């Protein structure tokens, strides 16, 4: 019998604490939000709108980050993002 892994978008895990999401920010005002895109056309379109909303509606700074299209981000890149951003939106467009 095949096994299916169920992932809950709320970050709640019936299995362990490792699967939980990071604590949510109480407010975005004054925060730095990274938008990671692999440069596929639909993600570029979405990230444009995210950046507008983040700055105009929520008073945060939006930083655009381009990830490799066909490979994982390097540890240096992940560390840089972690050091610069309070939260990150990661998207993959197709």
């Amino acid at each position: 019998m095949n096994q299916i892994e169920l992932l809950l978008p709320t970050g709640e895990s019936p299995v362990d604490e490792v699967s939980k999401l990071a604590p949510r920010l109480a407010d975005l005002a004054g925060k730095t939000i990274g938008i990671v895109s692999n440069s596929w056309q639909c993600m570029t379109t979405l990230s444009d709108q995210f950046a507008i909303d983040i700055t105009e509606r929520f008073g945060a700074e939006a930083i655009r980050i381009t990830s490799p299209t066909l490979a994982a981000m390097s540890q240096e890149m992940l560390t840089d993002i972690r050091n610069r951003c309070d939260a990150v939106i990661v998207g993959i467009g197709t």
Side-chain angles (χ1 to χ4, degrees), residues 36-40 66-74 77 91-94:
V36 179
S37 171
N38 62 357
S39 298
W40 289 28
T66 302
S67 68
T69 304
L70 299 174
M73 286 187 271
S74 69
M77 188 175 201
I92 297 175
T94 56

Side-chain angles (χ1 to χ4, degrees), residues 12-89:
E12 299 168 6
S13 173
V15 179
D16 59 34
E17 293 295 314
V18 176
S19 300
K20 290 194 179 251
L21 297 175
R24 295 179 186 205
L25 298 173
D27 189 5
L28 296 182
K31 303 291 188 210
T32 300
I33 311 302
I35 304 170
V36 179
S37 171
N38 62 357
S39 298
W40 289 28
Q41 185 175 0
C42 66
M43 187 55 203
T44 300
T45 301
L46 284 172
S47 64
D48 288 345
Q49 189 61 52
F50 287 153
I52 291 167
D53 288 346
I54 287 167
T55 55
E56 292 180 3
R57 291 181 59 199
F58 299 105
E61 177 185 5
I63 295 178
R64 294 171 179 266
I65 302 156
T66 302
S67 68
T69 304
L70 299 174
M73 286 187 271
S74 69
Q75 189 60 49
E76 288 177 344
M77 188 175 201
L78 293 170
T79 300
D80 181 55
I81 293 168
R82 188 178 303 119
N83 290 337
R84 294 172 55 201
C85 302
D86 297 295
V88 180
I89 298 169

